[in-house]
């Protein structure tokens, strides 16, 4: 990629955001505790190793997006910081939302917390609630318990 043309600042900014997301960070964040719990639940309940790996990868990438959001406290985080998750997991994960599987919908509910944090983006207003409502409607009783934290975070009441 050529980084010296007229679009160089845009490409450089994108690369910088991507690289910052990939930095290993240790955090005792409550978000990590909830994601750990979700990962453990999926580990225990998903018998298919391929699906389990897809879900674990989606959670791992989601964790990076949450860390980007947390490390940016006090300064605006960008849409790129959040939607890179969809790009990273799209090929394997998004088809599972079309089925939909209970675990995929549960993971999507956690993504709603990130969407909700982008209140400055007028075009995203209401999407976190909309996706959470759809997720809640698709989930069985057991998996609805798994999304208690994201529901509380965005203030969703069924």
């Amino acid at each position: 990629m050529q980084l010296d043309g007229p679009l160089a600042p845009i490409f450089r900014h994108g690369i910088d955001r991507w690289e910052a997301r990939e930095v290993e960070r240790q955090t005792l964040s409550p978000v990590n505790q909830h994601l750990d719990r979700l990962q453990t639940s999926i580990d225990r309940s998903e018998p298919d190793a391929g699906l389990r790996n897809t879900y674990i990868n989606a959670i791992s990438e989601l964790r990076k997006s949450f860390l980007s959001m947390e490390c940016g406290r006090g300064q605006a985080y960008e849409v790129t910081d959040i939607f890179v998750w969809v790009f990273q997991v799209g090929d394997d994960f998004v088809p599972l939302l079309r089925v939909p599987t209970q675990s995929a919908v549960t993971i999507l509910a956690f993504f709603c917390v990130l969407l909700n944090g982008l209140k400055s983006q007028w075009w995203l207003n209401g999407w976190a609630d909309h996706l959470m409502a759809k997720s809640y409607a698709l989930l069985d009783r057991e998996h609805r318990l798994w999304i208690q934290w994201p529901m509380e975070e965005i203030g969703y009441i069924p």
Side-chain angles (χ1 to χ4, degrees):
M1 177 183 308
Q2 186 177 4
L3 293 177
D4 59 355
L7 297 178
I10 294 170
F11 291 129
R12 183 77 245 156
H13 179 73
I15 291 168
D16 289 345
R17 295 305 271 212
W18 188 282
E19 289 173 350
R21 188 176 183 279
E22 294 299 319
V23 172
E24 287 288 327
R25 298 180 189 109
Q26 294 298 322
T27 180
L28 298 176
S29 164
V31 174
N32 266 341
Q33 294 171 1
H34 294 290
L35 291 172
D36 288 344
R37 206 170 299 128
L38 175 61
Q39 184 169 332
T40 299
S41 297
I42 289 174
D43 260 341
R44 290 181 180 157
S45 66
E46 181 53 60
D48 183 289
L51 284 175
R52 192 170 49 248
N53 287 337
T54 298
Y55 297 139
I56 300 308
N57 180 56
I59 293 168
S60 173
E61 292 298 324
L62 196 58
R63 190 181 307 271
K64 291 176 187 177
S65 291
F66 273 107
L67 284 171
S68 293
M69 182 177 80
E70 288 180 348
C71 290
R73 293 240 188 253
Q75 46 181 250
Y77 61 97
E78 298 180 9
V79 172
T80 307
D81 297 332
I82 306 309
F83 281 100
V84 72
W85 176 75
V86 177
F87 177 77
Q88 283 290 91
V89 302
D91 291 343
D92 297 327
F93 183 75
V94 172
L96 298 174
L97 290 170
R98 288 187 192 115
V99 172
T101 69
Q102 294 290 294
S103 293
V105 173
T106 301
I107 294 167
L108 181 67
F110 276 72
F111 178 71
C112 291
V113 175
L114 294 171
L115 282 179
N116 194 58
L118 290 169
K119 293 185 187 295
S120 64
Q121 303 296 320
W122 63 268
W123 54 278
L124 286 174
N125 286 343
W127 272 102
D129 289 331
H130 175 73
L131 288 176
M132 185 62 76
K134 292 289 187 185
S135 297
Y136 187 84
L138 289 169
L139 291 173
D140 60 26
R141 186 175 281 174
E142 176 189 355
H143 289 86
R144 285 179 179 174
L145 295 174
W146 293 12
I147 66 166
Q148 191 66 37
W149 177 78
M151 287 172 48
E152 289 171 0
E153 282 296 302
I154 70 170
Y156 176 76
I157 299 172

